[in-house]
Amino acid sequence: MNPILVYCKRDLIRWFRGRWGFISAMVMPAAWLIFVGLALPIRFTDHYIDFVTPGILAMTILSASLAGGGLLIMDRMLGFFNKFLALPPPRESILFGKILVITIRGLIQSTIILCIAFLLGAKVYSPVQLVFTYLILFIFGALLSSCATTLAIHVGDHDQYAAVNAMISMPIFFTSSAMMPYDQMPAWLEPVAHVNPLSFAIDGIRMVQAGTIPVFQLTLLSLLCILVLGLSVHVFRKVKL
């Protein structure tokens, strides 16, 4: 069996068994969707739940990816990581297995959030829109998972990683186009939001909502993903037993 799938299956089983970790990961995106999507007084649109859903989906992937970096740190703390490195399969398979399982976890959580959004009155996506939405989320998840695993290799301590996670997650979210369109942003925030990778994913999903294929966003996210993944592989190869 492919070692990448073996590593992925191992972490997925551990994740499903830890039901409280799964439930807690869903609380924040669901709360944002309900209390912000339905309760926030907005003037620029009459259907804010439709507007904010792509942002909450991207935030779900962001949260899942950053939390997933802790998988690598936990393996190092428990001694599994060095044992995996000593096994015959290429060590890159460990990295790809982590990236795959983190991305899958994010997609599962995003699916639940999307179902909640539909139940709350958001416009239901067509099959084609769903395909492109999941494609964007998968590429974006792979990009963030690569960043998270690389960061976890450098940090190496669970408490420090949690601190870094908390420090970067909310600023990335609030400087994106998740909550408001560019023309409603303050002058200083708009250029920051335009170069935020989170905005690339959000804008791509909104274009899919509007019936347009987001070629530019998909291309840009794919290039960023390849670049960061290559960096992650380079860093991973230098890890010592």
Side-chain angles (χ1 to χ4, degrees):
M1 188 175 181
N2 191 307
I4 297 175
L5 298 180
V6 172
Y7 292 128
C8 177
K9 180 181 177 181
R10 168 187 175 267
D11 286 326
L12 271 180
I13 292 175
R14 185 170 63 178
W15 184 55
F16 283 127
R17 286 176 177 173
R19 64 184 66 182
W20 284 110
F22 175 82
I23 294 173
S24 64
M26 301 301 306
V27 170
M28 185 175 69
W32 273 92
L33 189 63
I34 295 171
F35 295 111
V36 174
L38 296 181
L40 199 66
I42 296 298
R43 298 180 180 178
F44 60 82
T45 178
D46 294 329
H47 302 282
Y48 189 59
I49 187 71
D50 288 333
F51 179 85
V52 81
T53 295
I56 303 302
L57 291 175
M59 183 184 74
T60 304
I61 294 291
L62 172 65
S63 300
S65 299
L66 292 178
L71 296 174
L72 188 60
I73 295 177
M74 186 62 66
D75 281 344
R76 297 183 75 170
M77 293 174 60
L78 297 177
F80 292 116
F81 185 68
N82 286 343
K83 294 177 181 179
F84 291 154
L85 291 178
L87 292 176
R91 58 171 52 190
E92 290 85 358
S93 60
I94 304 173
L95 173 65
F96 294 145
K98 294 294 183 186
I99 292 174
L100 180 60
V101 72
I102 294 170
T103 305
I104 291 175
R105 283 171 43 163
L107 291 177
I108 292 174
Q109 294 175 18
S110 297
T111 300
I112 297 174
I113 293 300
L114 191 59
C115 291
I116 294 175
F118 293 156
L119 291 175
L120 292 176
K123 182 180 179 182
V124 178
Y125 295 180
S126 69
V128 174
Q129 289 174 326
L130 285 174
V131 168
F132 277 104
T133 297
Y134 276 100
L135 178 60
I136 294 171
L137 293 176
F138 179 82
I139 297 173
F140 186 56
L143 167 63
L144 293 180
S145 301
S146 302
C147 294
T149 50
T150 304
L151 180 62
I153 292 172
H154 279 291
V155 174
D157 179 82
H158 195 274
D159 291 337
Q160 293 185 40
Y161 182 80
V164 174
N165 184 345
M167 183 176 62
I168 65 177
S169 57
M170 284 296 101
I172 291 176
F173 177 71
F174 284 115
T175 56
S176 70
S177 59
M179 304 297 293
M180 64 186 75
Y182 296 109
D183 57 5
Q184 299 290 323
M185 295 180 182
W188 63 268
L189 180 59
E190 183 176 353
V192 178
H194 272 294
V195 297
N196 188 336
L198 196 67
S199 297
F200 302 157
I202 295 169
D203 294 345
I205 297 174
R206 286 185 181 141
M207 291 179 67
V208 170
Q209 282 182 324
T212 305
I213 299 177
V215 177
F216 175 75
Q217 284 78 8
L218 281 171
T219 303
L220 195 55
L221 286 173
S222 299
L223 291 176
L224 285 174
C225 183
I226 293 172
L227 179 63
V228 175
L229 185 58
L231 176 62
S232 299
V233 171
H234 176 73
V235 171
F236 209 79
R237 285 174 177 171
K238 295 183 178 297
V239 175
K240 297 181 180 180
L241 290 171

